Amino acid sequence: MPLRTTLFRVTSLALLVKLAGAPLNYLMLVALARAMDLEGYGVFAFGFSAALTLGQIALMGQQQLVMRVLPANTEPENAPVWKAALAYGLRHVAGAGAVLTLAFALYSLADAENRPMLAAALLVLPIAFAEFQSSVLRTQNRILSALVPRDILWRLSVIAAAGLVMLGILPQLEPTGAFLLCAGTLAFWLLVQSRFDPATRYRTAIAGPRTPHTAEWRGMSKSFWLASVVIVSGPNLAVVAIGLVMSPEKTAPFFAALKTAQLMTLLLLAANLAVTPMISRAYAEGARGTLRKICQSVSAAAGGFAALGMVAFWAFGGFALSLFGAGYATAKPELLILSFGFAVSAAGGPNGILMQMAGQEKAFARLSLIWNAAGLAALVPAVWAFGTLGAASVVALSTIAWNVHAWYLCRSRIGIDPSLLGFILPRLPQED
């Protein structure tokens, strides 16, 4: 099948699932807020954000490693390498996930007020495996199998349970119950996904062969891991910082604003899911014209969507936050600040994916660490001094900074401009 036809088909599937999944994710968080009181939802926001961060750490960069290695080893003669890469990833995700789950559980037992976090610890492994399984299936262009269990079915399950609470059939959710609901339903759908697809039946795969590539994969994994952790954890750690410094009643509206603002990157995330293996193949084949077209298509769609989102949030941001319940609309200023940062990220296109698939994963890891470490260092002082507005400003500025840095390196080192500016600035000689 021609690359352009494959790109259109896979991107369309990913986009359709994400267009359904992102609103469902939003509705899931709204439903949980409606099923809990403001203080309880603040505790949930803290634990859920911490679990998301730990789940990203537990991945150990393996979700990107399989995206880099598996597409290049699909031929029958390369089957041992394919199986070895899958086994390598599985061992690291399972081991790191178990250690971090235990660490989070011990933290919850250290203080009686933290006991709900014992249930939140159960989210770490399912979150990590959901991302890893999705990446494995995406390398085979199995977009529906990769995305539907987590993005659609899991969220519908949580929404249904929270709906029973709102209807008065079930009692009001406490944080512990919310954590158990999310962890249990996600684990169930991951098991279903694994049973129906041989690529994710891990009982035999985890004992796969070892190869001489292990040292190379270890170095690549470190770079992928560092970049993904600092980028994903930054916004989530802002919620954690607010939860540590301020009250749950302040944490809950900020969490709602953050999750609303992240809708700005909906099209970027959907496109990245589809084009990552295609960018990897196009770069490996030296098809720079194709590479440029892929990046331009992504930045045009993502940037245009983000621009519309900014206008919508200015007009209806308060209403969107009020869906969570009374007291949430007070976070509209934070929503506008956060949405501006995510809009710049969307306009930057698949810059991080391009760098990681084009052999610049170490440079991307360094720039991610520099800017997000600076943001994390400024986070607690900003929260102490300016409250949730300070946290929103730090998240937005660090997001803008790493995207601008990545854009510069894409142009100077790879010779491809993945951003909206690629339509305006003169074409680079290497892009032809």
Side-chain angles (χ1 to χ4, degrees), residues 26 250 252-261 264 309-341 388-389 392-393 396:
Y26 193 68
K250 293 291 185 180
F254 181 86
F255 180 76
L258 174 64
K259 294 306 175 182
T260 303
M264 303 286 287
M310 282 292 297
V311 175
F313 287 154
W314 273 103
F316 307 110
F319 170 75
L321 292 173
S322 69
L323 295 175
F324 287 80
Y328 287 86
T330 56
K332 183 178 178 180
E334 288 85 346
L335 169 62
L336 295 179
I337 294 171
L338 289 165
S339 63
F340 180 73
T388 53
L389 282 173
S393 299

Side-chain angles (χ1 to χ4, degrees), residues 8-323:
F8 177 78
R9 179 176 65 84
V10 177
T11 303
S12 297
L13 283 174
L15 181 58
L16 287 173
V17 175
K18 277 296 177 183
L19 283 175
L24 282 177
N25 183 59
Y26 193 68
L27 287 175
M28 180 183 79
L29 296 173
V30 169
L32 286 170
R34 290 284 188 175
M36 307 171 72
D37 59 27
L38 184 63
E39 181 180 359
Y41 193 67
V43 174
F44 171 80
F46 175 88
F48 191 73
S49 298
L52 286 174
T53 301
L54 293 175
Q56 193 66 39
I57 295 172
L59 278 165
M60 300 293 287
Q62 301 309 304
Q63 81 280 23
Q64 290 287 37
L65 181 69
V66 295
M67 294 299 295
R68 177 77 172 269
V69 175
L70 298 191
N73 292 281
T74 56
E75 300 300 325
E77 60 269 23
N78 293 329
V81 178
W82 197 97
K83 293 178 181 178
L86 179 59
Y88 180 89
L90 276 171
R91 287 192 289 266
H92 282 75
V93 174
V99 170
L100 291 172
T101 298
L102 178 61
F104 199 10
L106 292 175
Y107 162 80
S108 69
L109 293 172
D111 189 331
E113 292 185 359
N114 294 331
R115 291 301 164 80
M117 298 305 119
L118 187 61
L122 298 177
L123 270 166
V124 175
L125 268 172
I127 286 171
F129 268 99
E131 185 66 27
F132 182 76
Q133 285 189 186
S134 176
S135 295
V136 172
L137 295 173
R138 283 162 53 202
T139 65
Q140 303 167 75
N141 291 332
R142 298 180 183 177
I143 297 299
L144 293 180
S145 298
L147 301 180
V148 168
R150 178 186 59 177
D151 286 28
I152 305 296
L153 299 176
W154 172 50
R155 290 160 182 171
L156 284 175
S157 301
V158 176
I159 290 169
L164 294 177
V165 176
M166 289 185 282
L167 292 173
I169 298 174
L170 294 177
Q172 186 180 64
L173 271 179
E174 297 297 328
T176 297
F179 292 134
L180 292 175
L181 170 64
C182 291
T185 50
L186 180 56
F188 170 79
W189 287 115
L190 290 178
L191 289 173
V192 171
Q193 182 187 48
S194 181
R195 287 294 302 166
F196 280 90
D197 200 301
T200 53
R201 292 176 187 169
Y202 296 141
R203 187 169 59 181
T204 56
I206 200 169
R210 300 178 185 270
T211 75
H213 298 285
T214 300
E216 176 189 357
W217 292 345
R218 186 180 297 114
M220 291 168 59
S221 297
K222 288 179 181 177
S223 297
F224 291 142
W225 174 75
L226 184 59
S228 62
V229 166
V230 296
I231 288 175
V232 173
S233 65
N236 290 315
L237 286 179
V239 179
V240 174
I242 292 171
L244 292 173
V245 175
M246 306 180 75
S247 66
E249 289 83 359
K250 293 291 185 180
T251 306
F254 181 86
F255 180 76
L258 174 64
K259 294 306 175 182
T260 303
Q262 286 178 330
L263 292 174
M264 303 286 287
T265 59
L266 166 61
L267 282 187
L268 179 63
L269 293 174
N272 282 346
L273 285 172
V275 304
T276 298
M278 296 175 185
I279 288 176
S280 178
R281 291 192 189 103
Y283 184 81
E285 295 168 0
R288 303 189 72 80
T290 300
L291 193 58
R292 176 178 57 82
K293 290 177 182 177
I294 292 172
C295 292
Q296 284 189 338
S297 297
V298 173
S299 63
F305 181 82
L308 293 175
M310 282 292 297
V311 175
F313 287 154
W314 273 103
F316 307 110
F319 170 75
L321 292 173
S322 69
L323 295 175

